[in-house]
Amino acid sequence: MAQVLVVTSGKGGVGKTTSTAALGAALAQAGQTVVVVDFDVGLRNLDLVMGAERRVVFDLVNVIQGAAKLQQALIRDKRIDTLWLLPASQTRDKDALTANGVARVIAELKQKFDWVICDSPAGIERGATLAMRHADSAVIVTNPEVSSVRDSDRIIGLLDSKTEKAEKGGRVDKHLLISRYDPGRAARGEMLTINDVLEILSIPLLGVVPESEEVLRASNVGSPVTMCNPSSAAARAYCDAVRRLRGENVPMTIPTDKKRFMEKLFGRRAA
Amino acid sequence: MRFRGRSYIAFVLTPEAPIFDWLADLDAWTRRSAGFFVGKPVVLDLSAVRLSKDAVAHLVAELQTRDIRIMGIEGINPSEVGPELPPILKGGRTAATAVEPVEPSPPAPEPTPAAQEAGSLLLESPVRSGQSVVFPHGDVTVLGSVASGAEIIAGGSIHVYGTLRGRALAGSIGNPRARIFCHRAEAELLAIDGFYRTAEDMEPSLRSQPIQAWLQGEVMLIAPLN
C-alpha cells in the first residue's frame, strides 16, 4: 500500500524542499519507488534541487486541469530509476490547485508508487492545506529557533484537523525532523536544544540534520544531498531518518562531518 | 462604566414546512411534557422555512398562545422582521460543540459527552498554536501543554498540567472567582473576568514555575503553587 507523506513546516526557508529531495532520494536508493510532488505552485524549487529543471514539460497544474496526462508530467531521475518528480507550475498560483484535482492526482500516484512525497509550500493557505490533505504521515521540518517551532506547532494543529485522515477520525503520523542544527551553538544557548524543541512540540523525533555546507553545495549542483555526498553528515542523518520512517529502530545520533571536525582541531592547534 | 458580553444557553426551535403540521407536532410533544418551555429562553430558527413578514408574526403569536416566549429570531433576513418582533440573533453556536476554532474547521478535539455533562472540558492532547478553545460552561483542564499563540477561554477555571505558553482567559462570562492553575507558567497573557496581566508584567521569578492566579477585588494575584 502506497504511503503518502507530506513534508511541511509552516515557516519558509527551514529546508522542506531540501528534505523532500533528500528523503525521496534516500528512499529510492533503498529500493522503493518514489515520486516527489512539488506543491509550491508559482514558486517551484524542487525541480532545481533534483536537477531536473531543464526537463520540465508538463506540470501538476496541467495534470489537474486535464491538459496533460500524469505520465507526461512525471520526470524520471537520471541517476536512480525508481525516483520520479512531478513538478509544480511556475507561471500559475495556488488557486490553480483544486481539491478534486489534487485528490485525483494523488489517487493515481498511489497506484504507481510505494511513496508519494508532497513538498508543501510555506504558509497555512491553500497550497499547504492541499499538500497535506491526503497525507498518511507527515514530516515536520523545524529549525531550532522559536519562530520556526511555533509555526510548526500551528501546522501540527492543522494536520490534526484539516487532513482527510483527521476528518475521518484518524490520525496523521507525525515525525519531527530538526534541520540546521548546530550542537555548539545549542550548547552556548544561542539556539534551542533538541530537548527544548521536543518539549514544545511533543511529537516523535525522526532525525536531526546538522548545519552543513554539503547541503547548500548539493542544492547548487541539483542533486539531493543523499546522492551528491552520501558520506556527509547531512546525508547520513537523512538516511537514518528514512530507516526510521520505514520502521527500523535506529539509535538517535547527530552525525558530524569528521573532516570538518579535524580541520577545526588542526586550525585551533595552529592558532 | 463597564460593558460585558455574556452568553447563555437557549432552546432553539426550528420549524419545518408545512408550519401547520409542525405546530401540531409541537402540541403533541408539549402535551407529554407540559410546561417544558415555561420561563425558558427560546430562539426561533427560521433557516429551514421561507416565511413572509406576516407569517413570522403569526407564528410568534401562535407560540405565545402556547406559553413559548421567543427571545430572538435567527436564520432570516433582517428586512423581514419589523420592530414589533423579537430581535435577530447571529453567530449562535450549538451548545454541544464546546470547542470552537478561530478557523472554519475544528482544530481541537470534541469534548467527550461525559466531560460536558459535568460542566467541564477535558483536553487530552496539547493545544497547538493558533487553536482557540472556547468553553463558556465551566472549567477547562488540559493534560498537555498550551502552545505559544494558542488560547483557552473558559467560563470557569483553567487547569493546565503541561506548560502554559499561550493565553488563558478564565471566568470569561463574568466569574471573578475563577482561577488559573498551571504546572509550568510561560504564559503570554492571563485573564480572569476581564482583568488581565501580560507576560511582561508578571514577576520574573514565577516564570517556569507551577503557579495559580486569582482575583482579589480588581487585582490579579499570581503565586507559586506549593
Side-chain angles (χ1 to χ4, degrees):
Chain A
M1 188 59 195
Q3 273 275 328
V4 181
L5 176 76
V6 61
V7 179
T8 185
S9 71
K11 193 171 181 299
V14 296
K16 284 181 296 296
T17 302
T18 307
S19 297
T20 303
L23 293 172
L27 275 166
Q29 283 165 313
Q32 304 275 296
T33 58
V34 181
V35 61
V36 288
V37 186
D38 193 348
F39 270 83
D40 206 347
V41 177
L43 293 167
R44 76 169 185 220
N45 286 137
L46 189 55
D47 54 328
L48 289 169
V49 178
M50 299 283 293
E53 73 279 7
R54 289 147 63 95
R55 299 164 63 204
V56 177
V57 183
F58 295 107
D59 54 50
L60 177 62
V61 172
N62 295 142
V63 179
I64 281 177
Q65 294 178 340
K69 291 208 176 70
L70 184 58
Q71 217 44 260
Q72 295 173 291
L74 285 170
I75 302 171
R76 185 182 220 144
D77 190 88
K78 282 187 168 168
R79 296 148 293 200
I80 308 174
D81 58 9
T82 55
L83 179 61
W84 297 73
L85 165 71
L86 180 56
S89 169
Q90 182 71 353
T91 53
R92 310 296 295 272
D93 60 35
K94 268 87 179 170
D95 295 337
L97 295 173
T98 62
N100 287 342
V102 170
R104 187 170 49 81
V105 170
I106 297 285
E108 211 172 321
L109 289 172
K110 278 170 84 170
Q111 303 292 318
K112 296 180 202 289
F113 295 95
D114 299 327
W115 291 84
V116 179
I117 305 183
C118 304
D119 180 22
S120 170
I124 53 171
E125 288 80 23
R126 192 176 185 79
T129 49
L130 282 175
M132 68 170 68
R133 181 80 195 143
H134 304 281
D136 299 304
S137 53
V139 169
I140 293 119
V141 184
T142 305
N143 289 168
E145 46 113 6
V146 283
S147 53
S148 172
V149 171
R150 182 159 78 177
D151 290 359
S152 293
D153 196 69
R154 179 86 163 97
I155 281 290
I156 296 169
L158 295 180
L159 285 165
D160 282 337
S161 63
K162 285 205 164 180
T163 51
E164 198 178 41
K165 220 172 166 184
E167 282 172 10
K168 284 182 181 160
R171 254 186 119 74
V172 173
D173 288 330
K174 292 172 285 283
H175 309 277
L176 179 65
L177 186 69
I178 297 178
S179 60
R180 308 195 67 169
Y181 186 73
D182 185 332
R185 295 191 60 199
R188 289 195 299 274
E190 292 168 14
M191 56 168 61
L192 296 176
T193 65
I194 292 168
N195 279 339
D196 291 338
V197 180
L198 283 175
E199 211 246 326
I200 296 174
L201 295 179
S202 56
I203 56 170
L205 182 62
L206 181 69
V208 180
V209 183
E211 174 81 75
S212 164
E213 288 163 19
E214 286 305 315
V215 173
L216 183 62
R217 196 199 316 269
S219 291
N220 285 339
V221 301
S223 167
V225 69
T226 45
M227 279 196 244
C228 175
N229 186 352
S231 61
S232 66
R236 282 181 285 139
Y238 280 119
C239 288
D240 282 354
V242 156
R243 286 167 64 197
R244 292 185 195 109
L245 209 52
R246 297 186 66 197
E248 260 184 75
N249 193 1
V250 184
M252 189 62 66
T253 52
I254 305 167
T256 48
D257 279 320
K258 283 245 169 55
K259 205 175 126 218
R260 271 187 62 207
F261 177 70
M262 294 298 273
E263 274 169 9
K264 262 189 201 164
L265 211 63
F266 287 126
R268 243 181 234 161
R269 265 184 201 167
Chain B
M1 194 188 289
R2 259 170 96 209
F3 293 98
R4 284 190 299 201
R6 208 165 270 217
S7 60
Y8 295 92
I9 305 283
F11 287 94
V12 178
L13 285 178
T14 311
E16 287 158 20
I19 294 291
F20 186 79
D21 293 348
W22 181 80
L23 279 172
D25 287 348
L26 182 70
D27 286 338
W29 193 87
T30 44
R31 261 197 300 279
R32 286 198 302 275
S33 323
F36 180 82
F37 288 107
V38 174
K40 286 185 179 150
V42 177
V43 170
L44 195 58
D45 178 1
L46 295 177
S47 53
V49 287
R50 187 90 195 92
L51 295 179
S52 69
K53 200 170 159 180
D54 289 340
V56 175
H58 180 70
L59 178 59
V60 171
E62 279 288 325
L63 292 169
Q64 186 89 57
T65 63
R66 291 163 171 81
D67 282 336
I68 299 174
R69 289 184 63 187
I70 303 298
M71 62 172 279
I73 301 182
E74 67 174 357
I76 192 172
N77 203 321
S79 64
E80 288 164 11
V81 177
E84 71 285 357
L85 286 173
I88 300 266
L89 293 178
K90 259 190 238 153
R93 298 191 283 233
T94 308
T97 317
V99 178
E100 287 297 328
V102 174
E103 298 218 307
S105 78
E110 293 285 317
T112 59
Q116 259 184 50
E117 281 160 21
S120 66
L121 174 67
L122 177 69
L123 299 172
E124 294 188 53
S125 47
V127 182
R128 301 288 180 183
S129 184
Q131 291 181 347
S132 177
V133 176
V134 182
F135 188 71
H137 317 297
D139 291 8
V140 174
T141 306
V142 186
L143 293 186
S145 295
V146 178
S148 159
E151 66 182 8
I152 310 277
I153 303 172
S157 298
I158 296 173
H159 311 258
V160 180
Y161 286 90
T163 308
L164 173 57
R165 296 189 180 87
R167 301 163 154 236
L169 296 87
S172 65
I173 51 169
N175 177 5
R177 292 175 50 80
R179 292 191 178 203
I180 299 168
F181 304 86
C182 67
H183 186 64
R184 192 172 155 180
E186 312 254 351
E188 290 163 349
L189 180 139
L190 299 178
I192 299 173
D193 190 24
F195 296 97
Y196 66 88
R197 278 167 84 166
T198 59
E200 210 173 65
D201 36 62
M202 283 179 225
E203 196 67 33
S205 64
L206 293 170
R207 216 181 145 75
S208 306
Q209 297 299 311
I211 58 133
Q212 66 162 323
W214 70 100
L215 273 192
Q216 198 172 75
E218 300 202 336
V219 182
M220 187 194 291
L221 300 179
I222 306 174
L225 251 192
N226 43 36

